[in-house]
Amino acid sequence: MRPTALRRSPVVSARPAVAAMPAYRPGRNAADLAREIGVPTAVKLASNELPFPPLPAVLAAIAATAAETTRYPDNGAAVLTRALADRYDVAPQQLALGCGAVTVCQQLTQAFVDPGTSIAFGWRSFEMYPLLAQVAGGRTQQVPLVPGTPGGTADTFDLTALAAAVDETTRLVFVCNPNNPTGTAVRRAELETFLDAVPADTLVVLDEAYREFVTDPGVPDGVELMRGRPNVAVLRTFSKAWGLAGLRVGYLIAEDPAVADAVRRTLVPFSVSSLAQAAAVAALASEDEVRERVAAVTTERTRLTAALRGRGIGVADSQANFVWLPLGERTVEVAAALEARAVITRPFPGEGLRVTVGSPAEDDVFLGALDDVLTSTAAGVAGA
């Protein structure tokens, strides 16, 4: 007898939109790089983390809460929500929390973006915006950045063009202010004009993950601009200035409580852990110490910016805890050369290099490595 022909089993496959997505690439681990190149330590300036240990009150709160980890966390994060409501003078119903600001962005797209609708934003900006639209089956309306200074590189939002790009399909607009990865920020008058131009049925999210590092008085607090505008919400995080990157707590403040309610409905249950909630409450209670740390970072940002400009690199004024080196086609080459010298940065191929403001010692290591790269490269990177 002839053997029965084997039937080929169907192959399980992901949705096309998901299969086509590039994988998210976090900053390299410093210890892994050090082992790879055979040096004692490496400096990581890729992920915009604070160069400080956890706040003492945060460590105490985590230790005190550890005994509760056999129980589910408070899904509504009532204590943290009340602390945030008091801090920003809003009602608890205007707040929605998530497992980091990026997850709140995901909740926003799940709540407001249908297939065929769109998300608008300036580009280059936070790399998750187009990916979230892709997963939701939505389109992206990407508006190119423009030079923030005459003769400079494209690094700043063109809010006039962004407002013009909004159409009847646009459900969400993200304005990352200060912008990640360029560090530039838009100012009050142009932002107010933009918000007034966006249709009332389009939600504008002011992504202010780096708000605490803003020193330019002309850059407004998004919560102030939100008031009286029902289609505006503000996104913040505990990962940066508050030093809780490893615990993942982000939150949205919405003028319209219905917006916050929609975002809460798309929260993965219990995704903000008990430890994270307790740590965030403790961090808020340590605001004076946080302000001191932020001041140290912004002072070091000024020093680092001046040092880079002194090397002929056109670094824009940053309002975040990182600086942007517009290296263009040299970006990947320079990033790789820095890694070979035990310094990890964040390259955006063909565009620029984002470098976190580290401690003075870490930044000196970076500057020394960069000097070595500049002198070992015939053309250097100045003016790239």
Side-chain angles (χ1 to χ4, degrees):
M1 294 178 62
R2 285 185 175 181
T4 303
L6 295 176
R7 292 185 178 181
R8 189 171 182 178
S9 300
V11 176
V12 176
S13 58
R15 292 170 46 216
V18 174
M21 286 177 60
Y24 179 77
R25 295 180 61 189
R28 288 198 64 181
N29 180 278
D32 288 345
L33 176 62
R35 283 191 296 269
E36 180 182 309
I37 64 177
V39 298
T41 59
V43 172
K44 181 183 177 184
L45 300 175
S47 300
N48 303 338
E49 299 150 325
L50 279 190
F52 303 104
L55 294 159
V58 165
L59 290 177
I62 291 172
T65 310
E68 302 174 14
T69 54
T70 56
R71 304 287 185 179
Y72 287 109
D74 174 10
N75 195 53
V79 175
L80 177 55
T81 298
R82 171 48 66 186
L84 288 168
D86 291 344
R87 186 177 193 274
Y88 292 107
D89 190 24
V90 296
Q93 293 78 14
Q94 292 176 260
L95 284 152
L97 274 68
C99 185
V102 66
T103 302
V104 180
C105 288
Q106 183 178 36
Q107 293 170 237
L108 280 159
T109 58
Q110 290 173 335
F112 293 101
V113 178
D114 286 315
T117 62
S118 59
I119 300 176
F121 46 86
W123 192 255
R124 157 93 45 196
S125 192
F126 183 40
E127 61 193 298
M128 288 302 297
Y129 298 156
L131 300 182
L132 292 171
Q134 189 172 342
V135 171
R139 296 183 297 105
T140 61
Q141 297 160 300
Q142 300 184 22
V143 176
L145 302 183
V146 294
T149 55
T153 57
D155 57 17
T156 304
F157 283 130
D158 181 348
L159 292 184
T160 300
L162 185 58
V166 174
D167 60 26
E168 66 279 0
T169 73
T170 311
R171 300 301 308 279
L172 282 177
V173 181
F174 284 108
V175 179
C176 191
N177 200 39
N179 185 40
N180 177 13
T182 62
T184 58
V186 291
R187 288 160 178 79
R188 179 179 297 274
E190 56 190 316
L191 190 50
E192 288 180 331
T193 298
F194 169 77
L195 294 176
D196 292 341
V198 174
D201 60 351
T202 298
L203 178 63
V204 179
V205 179
L206 303 178
D207 185 345
E208 295 187 336
Y210 299 92
R211 169 64 203 175
E212 291 85 355
F213 299 103
V214 171
T215 55
D216 183 344
V219 178
D221 184 327
V223 177
E224 296 177 8
L225 297 190
M226 175 199 77
R227 300 188 195 278
R229 292 183 169 93
N231 68 326
V232 176
V234 177
L235 184 65
R236 299 265 176 105
T237 183
F238 282 93
S239 293
K240 309 304 180 185
W242 302 90
L244 303 185
L247 288 174
R248 317 303 301 131
V249 187
Y251 57 98
L252 185 85
I253 310 170
E255 177 69 357
D256 185 353
V259 170
D261 176 69
V263 174
R264 289 194 298 270
R265 289 171 184 268
T266 55
L267 171 72
V268 174
F270 310 116
S271 59
V272 183
S273 73
S274 300
L275 297 180
Q277 292 180 39
V281 171
L284 288 173
S286 304
E287 186 163 0
D288 288 345
E289 190 171 353
V290 171
R291 289 182 184 277
E292 290 176 3
R293 292 179 171 200
V294 167
V297 170
T298 57
T299 297
E300 177 63 8
R301 181 181 71 195
T302 299
R303 184 184 80 94
L304 181 59
T305 299
L308 290 166
R309 289 173 177 170
R311 288 160 170 80
I313 301 173
V315 178
D317 289 333
S318 174
Q319 294 298 311
N321 70 330
F322 54 83
V323 293
W324 173 250
L325 283 61
L327 304 182
E329 295 303 319
R330 302 294 306 284
T331 298
V332 172
E333 176 189 354
V334 172
L338 288 170
E339 282 201 12
R341 293 160 175 80
V343 177
I344 304 169
T345 57
R346 178 65 168 87
F348 292 80
E351 298 176 76
L353 197 68
R354 191 188 70 195
V355 181
T356 304
V357 177
S359 67
E362 290 173 329
D363 291 341
D364 285 343
V365 171
F366 159 66
L367 290 169
L370 181 63
D371 286 340
D372 193 24
V373 172
L374 292 173
T375 56
S376 64
T377 305
V381 297

